[in-house]
Amino acid sequence: MQDVYQWLLDYGWAVWLVLFLGLAAIETLTLDLFFAMLSVGALGAMLAAVFGAPLFLQVVVFCIVALLMIVLVRPIALKHLERGPKDQRSNIDRLIGAPAVTLEAVSGSAGTVKIGGDIWTARTPDGSSVDSGAPVLVTRIDGATAVVVAAPAGAHAADGTADEESSDDPGFQR
């Protein structure tokens, strides 16, 4: 037992390095940033071992660094990862709030709209009805269906995209 303890004292940095790599490998599978924070704690403990800190101090360094990373850095990092720049949003996210024009009457269960040149099935969220040719705004995408609400007066005129789309489409009728 004394030999194992002595080996840990002599090569503790190697144990922390293996723990660091193992936690980083787990992080690549989970992508939750939790194990990445723990791996940074292991990296801190490895540095403590390299500088000759006793084993209990290495464990304390691991716990403190990992805890600080989880409490202070992880929430900020998750917030930045979830928000992302506007040009990196998914195609579905870009449609939220986009103006559209109804190609046929849209009700709570059926209808079609034209969003940015593409034709989508649509419905209203509250079961109300929107007439054909009316400007609408996309509030969310539910599967392959756009959930739309009637656009406030002047919403499309300020944007100008819906009027241009409807005039370019030869099959579009008001």
Side-chain angles (χ1 to χ4, degrees):
M1 187 69 175
Q2 186 69 19
D3 292 338
V4 172
Y5 184 73
Q6 187 60 41
W7 187 88
L8 283 176
L9 290 178
D10 292 342
Y11 299 103
W13 62 270
V15 174
W16 290 114
L17 180 62
V18 168
L19 186 62
F20 166 74
L21 294 173
L23 291 170
I26 292 172
E27 177 60 32
T28 61
L29 299 174
T30 63
L31 299 177
D32 192 32
L33 295 183
F34 182 78
F35 289 100
M37 302 299 130
L38 291 178
S39 70
V40 172
L43 193 62
M46 184 185 79
L47 289 176
V50 166
F51 289 115
L55 182 61
F56 79 93
L57 188 57
Q58 296 171 23
V59 173
V60 168
V61 167
F62 170 75
C63 292
I64 290 174
V65 170
L67 183 65
L68 288 176
M69 294 296 290
I70 290 170
V71 171
L72 299 177
V73 175
R74 186 173 177 262
I76 296 169
L78 285 175
K79 187 183 296 181
H80 283 284
L81 288 175
E82 289 173 0
R83 187 172 8 175
K86 189 175 182 176
D87 60 341
Q88 291 182 353
R89 293 187 299 180
S90 71
N91 288 338
I92 298 297
D93 291 339
R94 289 181 187 161
L95 294 177
I96 307 301
V101 175
T102 58
L103 298 178
E104 62 184 46
V106 177
S107 67
S109 59
T112 57
V113 295
K114 187 172 185 178
I115 308 169
D118 295 326
I119 297 174
W120 285 70
T121 58
R123 66 177 177 86
T124 56
D126 56 358
S128 62
S129 180
V130 180
D131 294 332
S132 176
V136 292
L137 293 176
V138 178
T139 59
R140 74 173 193 264
I141 301 295
D142 189 13
T145 302
V147 179
V148 298
V149 295
H156 279 56
D159 185 29
T161 55
D163 291 336
E164 291 173 10
E165 290 173 4
S166 62
S167 63
D168 292 342
D169 185 7
F172 181 78
Q173 299 174 356
R174 283 196 178 233

